Amino acid sequence: MIGPSAGPLRILHLEDSDLDAELIEAELDNLGHPVVIERVITRDEFAAAAQPGRHDIILADYVLPTFDGVSALGIARQQCPDTPFIFCSGTLGEEVAVEAIKNGATDYVTKQRLGRMTRTIIRALAEQRARDDKAAAEAALQALNDTLETRIRERTSELAASNTALQDQIVERERAEDALRLVQRLDAVGQLTSGVAHDFNNLLTVIAGNIEFLERVVTDERSKRRLDMMRGAAARGAKLTAQLLAFSRRQRLVPRPVSLNQTVVSMRDLLESSIGGAIQIETTLQDDLWPALVDATQIELVILNLAINARDAMAVGGRLTIETANVTVGEAPTRPEQPQPGEYVMISVSDTGTGMTPEVLARVFEPFFTTKAVGKGSGLGLAQVYGFVKQSGGGVRIDTVPAEGTSIKVYLPRVAEDTVAPVLPAAVEGARAHLPGSRPVLLVVDDDAGVREVTATRMAEAGYTVREAASGLQALAALDADANVDLVVLDFAMPGMNGAEAAGEIRKRWPGMPVLFVTGFADTDALARAGADGTDAIVLKPFRDGELEHKVATALAARTSPGLRLVSDRSRGG
């Protein structure tokens, strides 16, 4: 490539002789490259043609009739200084040529030696290209230098932003890992506590049941007082296991639409008596509060629990504030106890007490963790709140400042606008709902012999014929031998074939056979999958006064609808 582009070589030729012009043009054919020649003769023509970027090279005669090459060189240096300028003259002496080059000409060729024309043009173009490249490099270097500080600032800013983003990612990852570890720790403790609670409830069932049996035959006052003490201890044990089950999210909840404003108002006297006169109680209740979908009894326990914790944090008096509000949560949770995005009914309990340190806040929901003195608290209060709220589909947030106070916000799911309040089933009065003179047959299934003996004894005393089985397989074998059973009272958690599996087999083989589940911990999902339809299909251990008898009677009453008879009646031929 001869020219600066791939196109033909563009030449401006100042020459008055037609013959010389033809000779030079013929010599240019030796370049082996297309050539476009613009020939001019006068000053005006040359001045008009000598424009920047219009030609790749200028060839000029030295002497013309009305013009001269020196003047042409001056015009070219002024108008297109970067275009190579070569003199081609028959009268140009060496001294004149040297002077012309000093004045800015690129080179010269005599007309007597036109053979040098090709080499001279090629060299001139190469030198010009080198100058152009150098100028471009210098311009690029100058531009680089001019923008170096700006680019350094920009790059520094980019690096700082990248570093900040990386630090944020590290912090977020550490936070997520901490949250995951907390969830795993709470879940592991929850599984442990639910297992302990289940075994403990079996023990309490045996203890409480036998205390009840003994109370019927003991007559002296001293023994009665001791039985009262034992019954109270069993009740405290049952409360403890209920708190453990609440934390592990395995308590039996009955959610229904509840007005938290009414709940707070109705608890005012209870709160004042529990907290004492040294603490001022204030309430801020939202007028148009949404109804919350929650277990009414459990939310009262949560409010009372939080209020007592607040009281204990204000040893020298202070102010306790209970607030309700409709809240829409938009941000994702950063800790496992916090609510997911959505609409909630919020109730908060705030105090002006000692507050919590970050170390205490990190462990506040762990069961048995407490900052209170020995004997002043079990460490299950907030653990119970955590389990209840998470099982209800809500969340908890704690805002606390050491030495200033704490605010615990409980978020509970709101009732959808089209939700209809549930209709509670009518209670079945009395221990029996079967026909007079008949004795319905019950099959009591429990792997714990002590629990089974208590259950069977209570059912026999209630007027039922009782059979017993120590496992799910034994229950199936007993029914295979004699299926004349009105109701199966079935323990849910048993080794081998558990209650859910046994109930499935019973329903498969004897589709009309009703089942009443007895359990020391209420795994709601598992019970629902096992076919436990509503609270009347479940009895919790330890048994509350009359609850077992009532639910057995309810189950039998449901079976004795028109067209159905108890097996005890069928066996009588009626």
Side-chain angles (χ1 to χ4, degrees):
M1 184 174 65
I2 293 180
S5 64
L9 184 64
R10 301 166 300 171
I11 298 176
L12 176 59
H13 192 189
L14 178 61
E15 178 61 65
D16 63 320
S17 170
D18 294 337
L19 178 60
D20 290 345
E22 289 181 6
L23 291 173
I24 293 172
E25 183 175 345
E27 183 62 31
L28 292 175
D29 289 340
N30 294 327
L31 290 171
H33 191 82
V35 176
V36 175
I37 300 173
E38 182 179 358
R39 182 183 169 198
V40 294
I41 298 175
T42 66
R43 171 189 289 273
D44 293 340
E45 290 175 340
F46 183 82
Q51 301 298 325
R54 183 168 173 175
H55 302 92
D56 299 316
I57 199 164
I58 298 174
L59 299 178
D61 196 0
Y62 192 75
V63 178
L64 294 93
T66 60
F67 194 32
D68 63 85
V70 174
S71 298
L73 178 60
I75 295 172
R77 293 287 73 85
Q78 182 178 1
Q79 296 186 184
C80 51
D82 294 330
T83 304
F85 191 100
I86 299 175
F87 279 113
C88 184
S89 174
T91 60
L92 192 64
E94 185 174 343
E95 292 183 2
V96 176
V98 171
E99 188 64 26
I101 290 174
K102 288 182 179 180
N103 291 331
T106 304
D107 210 337
Y108 72 94
V109 178
T110 63
K111 291 182 179 180
Q112 292 82 4
R113 302 179 64 181
L114 288 178
R116 295 181 60 249
M117 175 67 72
T118 300
R119 294 194 302 276
T120 302
I121 290 176
I122 292 174
R123 184 173 63 251
L125 292 173
E127 291 175 353
Q128 182 59 39
R129 186 178 299 112
R131 287 192 296 272
D132 290 344
D133 291 344
K134 181 180 179 182
E138 290 175 347
L141 180 60
Q142 184 61 43
L144 186 65
N145 290 333
D146 292 343
T147 61
L148 182 59
E149 290 187 4
T150 300
R151 287 185 294 108
I152 289 175
R153 287 195 299 270
E154 292 175 351
R155 184 57 178 162
T156 301
S157 177
E158 291 174 359
L159 290 174
S162 298
N163 183 61
T164 300
L166 181 60
Q167 292 295 329
D168 290 343
Q169 291 176 3
I170 292 173
V171 170
E172 178 61 22
R173 181 174 179 177
E174 291 176 348
R175 184 204 62 76
E177 290 176 348
D178 289 342
L180 178 60
R181 283 192 293 268
L182 178 57
V183 169
Q184 291 172 338
R185 185 167 69 249
L186 293 177
D187 285 346
V189 175
Q191 293 177 8
L192 175 64
T193 54
S194 66
V196 171
H198 167 255
D199 291 339
F200 198 38
N201 275 335
N202 276 344
L203 297 175
L204 289 172
T205 301
V206 176
I207 294 170
N210 282 284
I211 290 173
E212 183 179 342
F213 298 152
L214 288 173
E215 284 178 329
R216 300 174 189 172
V217 297
V218 170
T219 57
D220 63 288
E221 292 301 320
R222 184 177 181 184
S223 296
K224 286 184 177 181
R225 285 196 302 272
R226 288 183 174 178
L227 288 174
D228 282 340
M229 293 170 60
M230 293 167 64
R231 186 173 59 250
R236 289 194 299 273
K239 181 179 179 182
L240 180 63
T241 57
Q243 290 177 308
L244 291 172
L245 291 174
F247 168 73
S248 60
R249 285 173 269 176
R250 283 178 167 84
Q251 62 180 335
R252 183 68 179 179
L253 299 180
V254 185
R256 60 182 180 84
V258 172
S259 169
L260 293 185
N261 284 351
Q262 293 180 4
T263 300
V264 173
V265 171
S266 66
M267 293 182 64
R268 181 79 188 212
D269 292 342
L270 174 62
L271 292 173
E272 289 178 347
S273 63
S274 301
I275 292 173
I279 296 174
Q280 178 184 357
I281 299 178
E282 296 181 356
T283 57
T284 305
L285 308 180
Q286 182 163 328
D287 292 335
D288 55 346
L289 191 69
W290 298 326
L293 187 62
V294 68
D295 187 299
T297 302
Q298 293 298 324
I299 189 59
E300 290 181 355
L301 292 176
V302 165
I303 296 171
L304 181 61
N305 226 325
L306 294 178
I308 291 174
N309 276 356
R311 177 202 65 188
D312 293 342
M314 298 183 290
V316 294
R319 184 176 65 257
L320 184 145
T321 304
I322 300 177
E323 178 185 1
T324 60
N326 299 326
V327 176
T328 299
V329 176
E331 67 275 12
T334 58
R335 286 177 54 88
E337 74 272 8
Q338 294 176 354
Q340 295 291 333
E343 292 184 332
Y344 297 92
V345 187
M346 186 274 292
I347 181 167
S348 70
V349 178
S350 305
D351 63 63
T352 57
T354 56
M356 303 180 196
T357 64
E359 293 77 17
V360 171
L361 184 60
R363 301 186 57 192
V364 72
F365 291 112
E366 294 181 13
F368 303 113
F369 173 78
T370 180
T371 58
K372 299 176 183 179
V374 176
K376 296 297 184 180
S378 65
L380 287 173
L382 286 178
Q384 183 180 12
V385 172
Y386 169 83
F388 162 71
V389 173
K390 296 302 286 186
Q391 187 177 350
S392 299
V396 184
R397 286 184 183 274
I398 297 181
D399 298 320
T400 183
V401 178
E404 293 187 15
T406 298
S407 177
I408 299 181
K409 297 179 173 65
V410 173
Y411 297 81
L412 298 166
R414 65 170 294 190
V415 176
E417 294 181 359
D418 57 350
T419 299
V420 178
V423 178
L424 298 179
V428 177
E429 297 296 335
R432 290 185 287 175
H434 48 84
L435 297 176
S438 66
R439 290 178 62 85
V441 180
L442 309 183
L443 176 60
V444 175
V445 187
D446 200 305
D447 64 296
D448 189 303
V451 175
R452 190 171 67 251
E453 195 274 336
V454 168
T455 306
T457 300
R458 295 183 70 140
M459 292 296 93
E461 290 181 351
Y464 301 109
T465 300
V466 180
R467 301 179 189 171
E468 298 182 32
S471 68
L473 289 175
Q474 284 190 19
L476 295 177
L479 290 172
D480 279 331
D482 183 359
N484 286 326
V485 172
D486 294 296
L487 176 67
V488 178
V489 181
L490 181 60
D491 184 32
F492 185 76
M494 295 186 293
M497 176 181 285
N498 62 32
E501 295 166 341
E505 286 297 319
I506 290 172
R507 291 193 178 98
K508 186 187 302 181
R509 301 185 194 183
W510 301 277
M513 183 74 67
V515 174
L516 178 65
F517 287 101
V518 177
T519 179
F521 73 100
D523 188 333
T524 306
D525 294 336
L527 284 166
R529 290 193 298 270
D533 185 17
T535 57
D536 282 338
I538 303 167
V539 181
L540 298 179
K541 302 175 187 175
F543 303 135
R544 280 79 173 170
D545 290 340
E547 182 182 14
L548 176 62
E549 291 81 357
H550 167 75
K551 290 187 176 180
V552 167
T554 300
L556 291 172
R559 193 179 186 191
T560 56
S561 57
L564 295 177
R565 291 181 298 170
L566 296 174
V567 297
S568 55
D569 301 324
R570 294 197 296 272
S571 65
R572 296 171 57 199

